[in-house]
Amino acid sequence: MHSSPRRLLAVAALSTAVALVGTACSSGSGSTSTKGADSGTYTVWDPYPQFAGGSAWTKLLDKCGTQAGVKIKRTGFDTSDLANKTLLAAQQGNSPDVLIVDNPVVSTLAEAGVLTTTDDNKLDTSKVDPNLLAAGQSGGKTYGTPIGANTLALYYNKKVLKEAAVDIASVKDWTSLTAALEKVKKAGKKGVTFSAIGTEEGSFQFLPWFWGAGAKLTELDSAQGVSALSLWKDWLKKGYAPNSVLNNTQTTSWQEFATGDYAFAENGTWQLANADKAGFDYGVLPIPAASGGTAAAPTGGEFVTIPVQSDTGRYATSGKLAACLTSTQNLYDTDTTLSYVAPTSEVQAKQVAANAKLKPWVDAVKSAKGRTSDDLGTKYPKISEQMWKAVQSALSGSKSPKDALAAAQSAAK
């Protein structure tokens, strides 16, 4: 905790990592909380400022506190504020007892020495799907447990596809998807919209195609990576996707799809409520991999973690709070509120039983992958930045996909 060079490195890494876009987190602000002098008060920091006192979320926190025999002092922060405040609090020896944080930041905080491991805090992660738990792992150790996950898939407009004589069951890989887009264009409609903006959102949306080609983040310029970027480039060249994707955020991309003119839109679980309000019949298809099957899409969502404390006696109660927040019943209630897919198969089954529309999302989450998985940790933000720059260069026409990714790989090293 007191290794200065390591801490300075963590500050530099975190300044980049916190720019990562939490895909379903709302923005807001909160004031810092500190632990009360009374050891019976435990602090909880979360990235849900949209939930005020009296909400289902704050009631759950209070219920978990009561069950653990303590009072809860909770503060909700904007996602990027939360990461910065957490690092500062750790430097001052004033960390919250329980921290709920966006999953790409977990490894950064862990490498900075801010978080305890599940070996230390005894959190049970045995029921969590391994691909989701991986986002909170670094150096062979686990630093928390996911409270829920979201990811990307393809929404589709059933009317547009019907008018273009496209059977959605035929869309199983990149070749059949591109053939569907060609039919849609010939029918006078628009193909697919997504976000390729020069930020983490652009990388987030490109990753399913990159991973779906079999590419690895440690080799941006592999033949597989080039094929993924070439796919997007060809879609723009042939008019299957609009040039607006270069500046689209996930929100503006959704607004394009909501016009009813597009056959497909790449977006996430957080748009489900908007999809129901769109006024047209829609479906959801997991993003196909190049040669078929479901591509790994990146996971969004948060982890419940327990920061390092000078008084290690607090861990037992903090562990009870974390276990309560991630119990089977509480996960179901919370993830329904957040439009998240639960991180355990048991709760996922309950979600699908209650709402059949979640089935393709559960399938997508089961194939999903953490952005910092493969032990990338704090290396991910730098790789991601070069990735979105390459996407921008290729789609704008300033470089070929091959040259853009070659430059990206060189810079990422």
Side-chain angles (χ1 to χ4, degrees), residues 240-282:
Y240 300 162
N243 287 325
S244 57
V245 298
L246 276 159
N247 297 310
N248 271 348
T249 63
Q250 293 181 108
T251 299
T252 55
S253 171
W254 178 261
Q255 290 167 350
E256 288 181 336
F257 181 66
T259 63
D261 295 331
Y262 283 84
F264 295 95
E266 180 182 356
N267 230 295
T269 30
W270 53 94
Q271 298 291 7
L272 275 170
N274 287 330
D276 290 334
K277 298 174 186 175
F280 54 80
D281 202 7
Y282 73 92

Short mmCIF file of all heavy atoms in Angstrom, two decimals, residues 240-282:
data_model
loop_
_atom_site.label_atom_id
_atom_site.label_comp_id
_atom_site.label_asym_id
_atom_site.label_seq_id
_atom_site.Cartn_x
_atom_site.Cartn_y
_atom_site.Cartn_z
N TYR A 240 -23.92 -0.09 -46.81
CA TYR A 240 -24.70 -0.93 -45.89
C TYR A 240 -24.75 -0.30 -44.49
O TYR A 240 -25.64 -0.62 -43.70
CB TYR A 240 -24.11 -2.33 -45.77
CG TYR A 240 -24.05 -3.10 -47.07
CD1 TYR A 240 -23.22 -4.21 -47.21
CD2 TYR A 240 -24.83 -2.74 -48.18
CE1 TYR A 240 -23.15 -4.93 -48.40
CE2 TYR A 240 -24.77 -3.45 -49.37
CZ TYR A 240 -23.92 -4.54 -49.48
OH TYR A 240 -23.85 -5.25 -50.66
N ALA A 241 -23.76 0.54 -44.19
CA ALA A 241 -23.70 1.28 -42.92
C ALA A 241 -23.45 2.74 -43.26
O ALA A 241 -22.77 3.05 -44.25
CB ALA A 241 -22.59 0.74 -42.02
N PRO A 242 -23.99 3.68 -42.47
CA PRO A 242 -23.85 5.10 -42.78
C PRO A 242 -22.50 5.66 -42.33
O PRO A 242 -21.89 5.14 -41.39
CB PRO A 242 -24.98 5.74 -41.97
CG PRO A 242 -25.10 4.85 -40.76
CD PRO A 242 -24.82 3.46 -41.26
N ASN A 243 -22.04 6.71 -43.00
CA ASN A 243 -20.79 7.36 -42.59
C ASN A 243 -20.90 7.98 -41.20
O ASN A 243 -19.88 8.25 -40.56
CB ASN A 243 -20.40 8.44 -43.61
CG ASN A 243 -19.90 7.84 -44.91
OD1 ASN A 243 -19.25 6.80 -44.91
ND2 ASN A 243 -20.23 8.48 -46.03
N SER A 244 -22.12 8.16 -40.73
CA SER A 244 -22.32 8.76 -39.40
C SER A 244 -21.76 7.90 -38.28
O SER A 244 -21.58 8.38 -37.16
CB SER A 244 -23.81 9.01 -39.15
OG SER A 244 -24.56 7.81 -39.26
N VAL A 245 -21.47 6.63 -38.57
CA VAL A 245 -20.93 5.76 -37.51
C VAL A 245 -19.61 6.30 -36.97
O VAL A 245 -19.25 6.04 -35.82
CB VAL A 245 -20.75 4.30 -37.99
CG1 VAL A 245 -22.08 3.69 -38.41
CG2 VAL A 245 -19.71 4.20 -39.09
N LEU A 246 -18.89 7.07 -37.80
CA LEU A 246 -17.61 7.64 -37.36
C LEU A 246 -17.76 8.56 -36.16
O LEU A 246 -16.83 8.72 -35.36
CB LEU A 246 -16.94 8.40 -38.51
CG LEU A 246 -16.13 7.54 -39.48
CD1 LEU A 246 -15.95 8.25 -40.81
CD2 LEU A 246 -14.78 7.19 -38.87
N ASN A 247 -18.92 9.19 -36.05
CA ASN A 247 -19.17 10.12 -34.94
C ASN A 247 -20.24 9.63 -33.99
O ASN A 247 -20.53 10.28 -32.99
CB ASN A 247 -19.57 11.49 -35.49
CG ASN A 247 -18.46 12.12 -36.32
OD1 ASN A 247 -17.32 12.19 -35.87
ND2 ASN A 247 -18.79 12.55 -37.53
N ASN A 248 -20.86 8.51 -34.31
CA ASN A 248 -21.94 7.98 -33.48
C ASN A 248 -21.45 7.53 -32.11
O ASN A 248 -20.49 6.76 -32.01
CB ASN A 248 -22.60 6.76 -34.14
CG ASN A 248 -23.74 7.13 -35.06
OD1 ASN A 248 -24.21 8.26 -35.05
ND2 ASN A 248 -24.19 6.16 -35.84
N THR A 249 -22.14 7.98 -31.08
CA THR A 249 -22.03 7.32 -29.78
C THR A 249 -23.04 6.18 -29.80
O THR A 249 -23.81 6.03 -30.76
CB THR A 249 -22.38 8.27 -28.63
OG1 THR A 249 -23.76 8.66 -28.78
CG2 THR A 249 -21.50 9.51 -28.65
N GLN A 250 -23.06 5.38 -28.77
CA GLN A 250 -24.05 4.31 -28.72
C GLN A 250 -25.47 4.89 -28.63
O GLN A 250 -26.43 4.29 -29.11
CB GLN A 250 -23.75 3.37 -27.55
CG GLN A 250 -22.46 2.61 -27.78
CD GLN A 250 -22.11 1.65 -26.66
OE1 GLN A 250 -22.20 0.45 -26.81
NE2 GLN A 250 -21.71 2.19 -25.52
N THR A 251 -25.57 6.07 -28.05
CA THR A 251 -26.88 6.73 -27.94
C THR A 251 -27.36 7.23 -29.29
O THR A 251 -28.51 6.99 -29.68
CB THR A 251 -26.82 7.90 -26.94
OG1 THR A 251 -26.46 7.39 -25.65
CG2 THR A 251 -28.17 8.60 -26.84
N THR A 252 -26.49 7.93 -30.03
CA THR A 252 -26.92 8.47 -31.33
C THR A 252 -27.12 7.34 -32.34
O THR A 252 -28.00 7.43 -33.21
CB THR A 252 -25.91 9.49 -31.89
OG1 THR A 252 -24.60 8.89 -31.94
CG2 THR A 252 -25.86 10.72 -31.00
N SER A 253 -26.36 6.28 -32.21
CA SER A 253 -26.57 5.12 -33.06
C SER A 253 -27.96 4.53 -32.80
O SER A 253 -28.69 4.17 -33.74
CB SER A 253 -25.49 4.06 -32.79
OG SER A 253 -25.78 2.86 -33.45
N TRP A 254 -28.32 4.46 -31.54
CA TRP A 254 -29.65 3.94 -31.20
C TRP A 254 -30.75 4.84 -31.78
O TRP A 254 -31.76 4.35 -32.28
CB TRP A 254 -29.83 3.82 -29.69
CG TRP A 254 -31.21 3.33 -29.38
CD1 TRP A 254 -32.30 4.07 -29.01
CD2 TRP A 254 -31.69 1.98 -29.53
NE1 TRP A 254 -33.41 3.28 -28.90
CE2 TRP A 254 -33.06 1.99 -29.22
CE3 TRP A 254 -31.08 0.79 -29.90
CZ2 TRP A 254 -33.84 0.83 -29.26
CZ3 TRP A 254 -31.84 -0.37 -29.94
CH2 TRP A 254 -33.21 -0.34 -29.62
N GLN A 255 -30.53 6.14 -31.72
CA GLN A 255 -31.52 7.08 -32.24
C GLN A 255 -31.74 6.87 -33.74
O GLN A 255 -32.86 7.01 -34.25
CB GLN A 255 -31.09 8.52 -31.95
CG GLN A 255 -31.17 8.87 -30.47
CD GLN A 255 -30.46 10.17 -30.11
OE1 GLN A 255 -29.72 10.73 -30.92
NE2 GLN A 255 -30.65 10.63 -28.88
N GLU A 256 -30.67 6.49 -34.45
CA GLU A 256 -30.81 6.18 -35.88
C GLU A 256 -31.70 4.95 -36.07
O GLU A 256 -32.61 4.93 -36.91
CB GLU A 256 -29.43 5.94 -36.51
CG GLU A 256 -28.61 7.20 -36.68
CD GLU A 256 -27.25 6.95 -37.33
OE1 GLU A 256 -26.76 5.80 -37.25
OE2 GLU A 256 -26.70 7.89 -37.91
N PHE A 257 -31.44 3.93 -35.28
CA PHE A 257 -32.23 2.70 -35.38
C PHE A 257 -33.70 2.96 -35.01
O PHE A 257 -34.62 2.41 -35.63
CB PHE A 257 -31.64 1.62 -34.47
CG PHE A 257 -32.38 0.31 -34.52
CD1 PHE A 257 -32.40 -0.45 -35.67
CD2 PHE A 257 -33.07 -0.15 -33.41
CE1 PHE A 257 -33.08 -1.68 -35.73
CE2 PHE A 257 -33.75 -1.37 -33.45
CZ PHE A 257 -33.76 -2.13 -34.61
N ALA A 258 -33.90 3.84 -34.04
CA ALA A 258 -35.26 4.13 -33.56
C ALA A 258 -36.12 4.83 -34.60
O ALA A 258 -37.35 4.90 -34.44
CB ALA A 258 -35.20 4.96 -32.27
N THR A 259 -35.51 5.34 -35.68
CA THR A 259 -36.29 5.96 -36.76
C THR A 259 -37.14 4.92 -37.49
O THR A 259 -38.11 5.26 -38.17
CB THR A 259 -35.38 6.65 -37.79
OG1 THR A 259 -34.54 5.66 -38.42
CG2 THR A 259 -34.53 7.73 -37.14
N GLY A 260 -36.74 3.64 -37.36
CA GLY A 260 -37.47 2.57 -38.04
C GLY A 260 -36.97 2.28 -39.45
O GLY A 260 -37.52 1.44 -40.14
N ASP A 261 -35.92 3.00 -39.88
CA ASP A 261 -35.41 2.84 -41.24
C ASP A 261 -34.32 1.77 -41.36
O ASP A 261 -34.01 1.33 -42.47
CB ASP A 261 -34.84 4.16 -41.75
CG ASP A 261 -35.91 5.23 -41.90
OD1 ASP A 261 -37.06 4.86 -42.16
OD2 ASP A 261 -35.58 6.42 -41.75
N TYR A 262 -33.73 1.39 -40.25
CA TYR A 262 -32.58 0.46 -40.28
C TYR A 262 -33.00 -0.97 -39.99
O TYR A 262 -33.90 -1.22 -39.18
CB TYR A 262 -31.52 0.88 -39.26
CG TYR A 262 -30.69 2.05 -39.71
CD1 TYR A 262 -31.14 3.36 -39.52
CD2 TYR A 262 -29.47 1.87 -40.34
CE1 TYR A 262 -30.38 4.44 -39.93
CE2 TYR A 262 -28.70 2.94 -40.77
CZ TYR A 262 -29.17 4.23 -40.56
OH TYR A 262 -28.42 5.30 -40.99
N ALA A 263 -32.31 -1.91 -40.64
CA ALA A 263 -32.56 -3.32 -40.41
C ALA A 263 -31.93 -3.78 -39.09
O ALA A 263 -32.54 -4.54 -38.34
CB ALA A 263 -32.02 -4.15 -41.56
N PHE A 264 -30.70 -3.30 -38.83
CA PHE A 264 -29.96 -3.76 -37.66
C PHE A 264 -29.32 -2.59 -36.91
O PHE A 264 -29.01 -1.55 -37.50
CB PHE A 264 -28.82 -4.71 -38.07
CG PHE A 264 -29.25 -6.00 -38.70
CD1 PHE A 264 -29.32 -6.11 -40.08
CD2 PHE A 264 -29.56 -7.10 -37.92
CE1 PHE A 264 -29.71 -7.32 -40.69
CE2 PHE A 264 -29.95 -8.30 -38.51
CZ PHE A 264 -30.03 -8.41 -39.90
N ALA A 265 -29.09 -2.80 -35.62
CA ALA A 265 -28.30 -1.87 -34.82
C ALA A 265 -27.53 -2.65 -33.78
O ALA A 265 -28.09 -3.54 -33.11
CB ALA A 265 -29.19 -0.84 -34.13
N GLU A 266 -26.25 -2.37 -33.67
CA GLU A 266 -25.45 -2.98 -32.61
C GLU A 266 -25.62 -2.12 -31.37
O GLU A 266 -25.28 -0.93 -31.37
CB GLU A 266 -23.97 -3.04 -33.01
CG GLU A 266 -23.10 -3.67 -31.94
CD GLU A 266 -21.63 -3.69 -32.30
OE1 GLU A 266 -21.28 -3.29 -33.43
OE2 GLU A 266 -20.82 -4.12 -31.45
N ASN A 267 -26.16 -2.72 -30.31
CA ASN A 267 -26.34 -1.97 -29.07
C ASN A 267 -26.52 -2.94 -27.92
O ASN A 267 -26.35 -4.15 -28.10
CB ASN A 267 -27.51 -0.98 -29.18
CG ASN A 267 -27.10 0.42 -28.71
OD1 ASN A 267 -26.79 0.62 -27.54
ND2 ASN A 267 -27.09 1.38 -29.62
N GLY A 268 -26.83 -2.42 -26.74
CA GLY A 268 -26.79 -3.25 -25.55
C GLY A 268 -28.11 -3.44 -24.82
O GLY A 268 -29.14 -2.89 -25.19
N THR A 269 -28.04 -4.22 -23.76
CA THR A 269 -29.20 -4.51 -22.91
C THR A 269 -29.85 -3.25 -22.38
O THR A 269 -31.06 -3.21 -22.16
CB THR A 269 -28.78 -5.37 -21.70
OG1 THR A 269 -27.43 -5.05 -21.35
CG2 THR A 269 -28.85 -6.83 -21.99
N TRP A 270 -29.02 -2.20 -22.18
CA TRP A 270 -29.54 -0.97 -21.59
C TRP A 270 -30.55 -0.26 -22.50
O TRP A 270 -31.20 0.69 -22.08
CB TRP A 270 -28.39 -0.03 -21.23
CG TRP A 270 -27.46 0.25 -22.36
CD1 TRP A 270 -27.49 1.29 -23.22
CD2 TRP A 270 -26.32 -0.54 -22.75
NE1 TRP A 270 -26.48 1.21 -24.13
CE2 TRP A 270 -25.73 0.10 -23.87
CE3 TRP A 270 -25.75 -1.71 -22.27
CZ2 TRP A 270 -24.60 -0.41 -24.51
CZ3 TRP A 270 -24.62 -2.21 -22.90
CH2 TRP A 270 -24.06 -1.57 -24.01
N GLN A 271 -30.68 -0.71 -23.75
CA GLN A 271 -31.66 -0.11 -24.67
C GLN A 271 -32.98 -0.87 -24.70
O GLN A 271 -33.88 -0.51 -25.47
CB GLN A 271 -31.08 -0.06 -26.09
CG GLN A 271 -29.83 0.79 -26.25
CD GLN A 271 -30.07 2.28 -26.09
OE1 GLN A 271 -31.17 2.72 -25.73
NE2 GLN A 271 -29.05 3.07 -26.33
N LEU A 272 -33.13 -1.89 -23.89
CA LEU A 272 -34.34 -2.70 -23.94
C LEU A 272 -35.61 -1.88 -23.69
O LEU A 272 -36.62 -2.04 -24.38
CB LEU A 272 -34.26 -3.85 -22.93
CG LEU A 272 -33.54 -5.11 -23.42
CD1 LEU A 272 -33.30 -6.07 -22.28
CD2 LEU A 272 -34.33 -5.78 -24.53
N ALA A 273 -35.57 -1.00 -22.71
CA ALA A 273 -36.75 -0.18 -22.42
C ALA A 273 -37.06 0.73 -23.60
O ALA A 273 -38.23 0.91 -23.98
CB ALA A 273 -36.53 0.65 -21.15
N ASN A 274 -36.01 1.30 -24.22
CA ASN A 274 -36.21 2.16 -25.39
C ASN A 274 -36.73 1.35 -26.58
O ASN A 274 -37.52 1.85 -27.38
CB ASN A 274 -34.90 2.86 -25.78
CG ASN A 274 -34.53 3.95 -24.80
OD1 ASN A 274 -35.41 4.57 -24.20
ND2 ASN A 274 -33.24 4.19 -24.63
N ALA A 275 -36.27 0.11 -26.69
CA ALA A 275 -36.73 -0.74 -27.79
C ALA A 275 -38.23 -0.99 -27.69
O ALA A 275 -38.94 -0.99 -28.70
CB ALA A 275 -35.97 -2.06 -27.79
N ASP A 276 -38.71 -1.18 -26.47
CA ASP A 276 -40.14 -1.41 -26.27
C ASP A 276 -40.96 -0.17 -26.60
O ASP A 276 -42.16 -0.27 -26.89
CB ASP A 276 -40.40 -1.84 -24.83
CG ASP A 276 -39.88 -3.25 -24.54
OD1 ASP A 276 -39.78 -4.04 -25.50
OD2 ASP A 276 -39.57 -3.54 -23.38
N LYS A 277 -40.32 1.00 -26.54
CA LYS A 277 -41.03 2.26 -26.83
C LYS A 277 -40.88 2.69 -28.29
O LYS A 277 -41.47 3.70 -28.70
CB LYS A 277 -40.46 3.39 -25.95
CG LYS A 277 -40.64 3.18 -24.45
CD LYS A 277 -39.91 4.28 -23.69
CE LYS A 277 -39.94 4.05 -22.18
NZ LYS A 277 -39.12 5.07 -21.47
N ALA A 278 -40.10 1.94 -29.07
CA ALA A 278 -39.75 2.39 -30.43
C ALA A 278 -40.93 2.42 -31.39
O ALA A 278 -40.91 3.14 -32.38
CB ALA A 278 -38.64 1.51 -31.00
N GLY A 279 -41.93 1.61 -31.10
CA GLY A 279 -43.11 1.64 -31.96
C GLY A 279 -43.08 0.66 -33.12
O GLY A 279 -43.92 0.74 -34.01
N PHE A 280 -42.09 -0.23 -33.14
CA PHE A 280 -42.06 -1.26 -34.17
C PHE A 280 -41.59 -2.58 -33.56
O PHE A 280 -40.97 -2.61 -32.50
CB PHE A 280 -41.17 -0.86 -35.36
CG PHE A 280 -39.76 -0.47 -35.01
CD1 PHE A 280 -38.78 -1.42 -34.76
CD2 PHE A 280 -39.40 0.88 -34.95
CE1 PHE A 280 -37.48 -1.06 -34.45
CE2 PHE A 280 -38.09 1.26 -34.64
CZ PHE A 280 -37.13 0.29 -34.39
N ASP A 281 -41.93 -3.66 -34.25
CA ASP A 281 -41.60 -4.99 -33.76
C ASP A 281 -40.11 -5.26 -33.98
O ASP A 281 -39.60 -5.09 -35.09
CB ASP A 281 -42.44 -6.03 -34.51
CG ASP A 281 -42.57 -7.34 -33.75
OD1 ASP A 281 -42.11 -7.40 -32.59
OD2 ASP A 281 -43.12 -8.30 -34.33
N TYR A 282 -39.44 -5.68 -32.94
CA TYR A 282 -37.99 -5.91 -33.04
C TYR A 282 -37.63 -7.27 -32.47
O TYR A 282 -38.40 -7.91 -31.76
CB TYR A 282 -37.22 -4.81 -32.29
CG TYR A 282 -37.30 -4.95 -30.78
CD1 TYR A 282 -36.33 -5.67 -30.07
CD2 TYR A 282 -38.36 -4.40 -30.06
CE1 TYR A 282 -36.42 -5.82 -28.70
CE2 TYR A 282 -38.46 -4.54 -28.69
CZ TYR A 282 -37.48 -5.26 -28.01
OH TYR A 282 -37.57 -5.43 -26.66
#
